Amino acid sequence: MRLRALLDTDALGLRLLGGQDELDRTVRGVMTTDLRDPSRYLSGGELVLTGLAWRRDAADSEPFVRLLVQAGVAALAAGEAELGDVPDDLVLACARHRLPLFAVHESVAFATITEHVVRQVSGERAGDLAAVVDRHRRMMTSGPAGGGPDVVLDLLGSDLDLRAWVLSPTGRLVAGPKPAGPGLPAEVRAKLAAEHLAAVRTGRRGPHRVILAGATYSLFPVRSGARAPQAVGDVRETVLSDWLLAVEADAGDWAAERLDLLQGVTQLISVERDRRDAARTVRRRLAQEVLELVQTGAAPAEIAARLRVAAPVLLPGLGAAPHWQVVVARVEWDGAEGNGAEGGPVAQSLLEEILVDPHATGPEPSDRIAVAHTGDEAVALVPLPAVAGEHDGPESGVLADTLLASVREPLAAGLDGDGRVTLGVSAAVHSAEGLRGALEEARHARRVAAARPGRVCAAGHQELASHVLLLPFVPDDVRRAFTARLLDPLRDYDRRHRAELIPTLEAFLDCDGSWTRCASRLHLHVNTLRYRVGRIEQLTGRDLSRLEDKLDFFLALRMS
């Protein structure tokens, strides 16, 4: 389709601000973005829609337009909902580069334009599904009346008898049909997400066919409009953040027209994804500002001022100042240096998902989470409402041991044997003065998690109070030498005499050196136990009545 046709469509509410001579350009697609540099996600011929969140001052317009022109886009359409009239500096920049510029009236949702372009570009569609898509304009309208992606899923069910769900990469339910019967169980959602991520990692094209508990599902990727698949250099950049559409049907039997239109439905749903990402911009910026202040050693008063700005954004209507927790995440890929798999942004998107209550539904239950990224690391600032009468911080909050429980299976599939996710969680702090310590605590907890085996690991502040956390950091050769010196004489003796000195030592330490409790546990006479302990001391030259020797044996057993 041509730009002129868009301008002639009254329902789109487009007003031409420049580029009258370029209206015969062909539009091959549409993308919504507020990135300062979206060029790597553009393939040419797009109508770019923007809410102008990337613009901080007049100097930003020229480089933004230049990048669009270099990418070969067809035109730019700027929304008036946030800033009112399109800034003059943007109009002038587009005129200099001969880039057609439209203003989008505040009453028109970007989704309306997206749907129109997708429908026109896709060409002929299957009649039954086309009728459904024609009714979906309201699903993307702003405000509570729009209904979101749930509307399209309801219509797929009522008109075509197709049950479908939009799932996050961890299997959380983003949208689903209003169930007449039982919904999709959490364990099924987790398995579907895992199967989808595994298929994406192997490079198979969607839809992916999965059979679970006798039911057949077809899984369609729902990619952000800012991340066209041809613009992603490494699938690992998006595999842990893209949504998916799960349809309870075997798409392998469908005609090409129906498959084509289901792909169009995923593009419509991706608009909701883009809207959610745009809504996170302010929260991400707040987190980035706080993180930079903390890392540069800014005065607590300056940090506290930023926290006062963040609190009403993250916890609107909150009467009391919240406590804060810090969560640090890192996504690492084997041999990722220089291959384009960016760790920081991937960890940021993933952390925003992981910190959402797994039982929460809808696209935006993460309104109270602010996540920044620096280098290969993502840092989340999590506010916790203060509880009246407490003195040592809230009893509830983010807990490392439960953080990954519901997402471990899908994440392991997405990592596919060559990636790791590690997280660290701080204790809650009451003020800006404690935030730097909380950040260091969360980072140290993450390092403890990274020293553990497994692809998906987390550690919390509670674990930093035990000497056991030191064990993973002991070099392997030191561990082997230490354990061999203490335990090898006992192992040799056990092999030759079947004396069970090692099990006796473990039980004795576990019973805190109590002769009667240990003898009872091992079903031995106390004198027999005393003989075995004496033999242990004789073979090792240690004294199990001394605390230092008990601790050495304990550590040796833990490291063996």
Side-chain angles (χ1 to χ4, degrees), residues 92 94 187 273 515:
L92 292 173
C94 288
E187 59 273 15
R273 173 66 188 274
W515 296 98

Side-chain angles (χ1 to χ4, degrees), residues 279-400:
R280 285 180 170 176
T281 301
V282 173
R283 298 193 297 276
R284 286 176 170 179
R285 187 175 299 166
L286 284 171
Q288 197 74 42
E289 291 173 354
V290 173
L291 176 62
E292 289 174 1
L293 289 174
V294 171
Q295 292 190 136
T296 56
E302 188 176 359
I303 300 174
R306 298 310 302 162
L307 291 179
R308 284 194 294 272
V309 173
V313 173
L314 301 178
L315 293 174
L318 186 69
H323 301 278
W324 301 91
Q325 265 184 295
V326 175
V327 182
V328 171
R330 179 169 290 196
V331 176
E332 298 172 294
W333 304 100
D334 295 346
E337 292 185 7
N339 70 356
E342 299 178 46
V346 175
Q348 182 182 44
S349 297
L350 184 59
L351 193 50
E352 287 171 334
E353 172 61 33
I354 290 176
L355 287 171
V356 175
D357 182 346
H359 302 294
T361 60
E364 292 188 25
S366 58
D367 283 346
R368 297 184 176 185
I369 300 165
V371 185
H373 74 81
T374 173
D376 290 332
E377 178 184 76
V379 179
L381 190 64
V382 182
L384 303 173
V387 178
E390 67 182 1
H391 300 288
D392 297 323
E395 296 180 359
S396 62
V398 178
L399 301 175

Side-chain angles (χ1 to χ4, degrees), residues 54-66:
W54 50 267
R55 181 186 178 277
R56 297 179 182 175
D57 56 46
D60 291 335
S61 293
E62 172 67 22
F64 180 78
V65 172
R66 185 170 58 252

Side-chain angles (χ1 to χ4, degrees), residues 133-183:
V133 173
D134 284 342
R135 295 167 58 187
H136 291 166
R137 183 176 292 108
R138 70 181 184 275
M139 93 177 212
M140 295 301 180
T141 58
S142 59
D150 301 84
V151 174
V152 69
L153 302 184
D154 288 339
L155 291 173
L156 285 175
S158 62
D159 289 20
L160 302 175
D161 198 26
L162 286 176
R163 291 215 305 162
W165 301 263
V166 179
L167 305 179
S168 77
T170 62
R172 183 178 58 83
L173 182 65
V174 175
K178 295 180 176 61

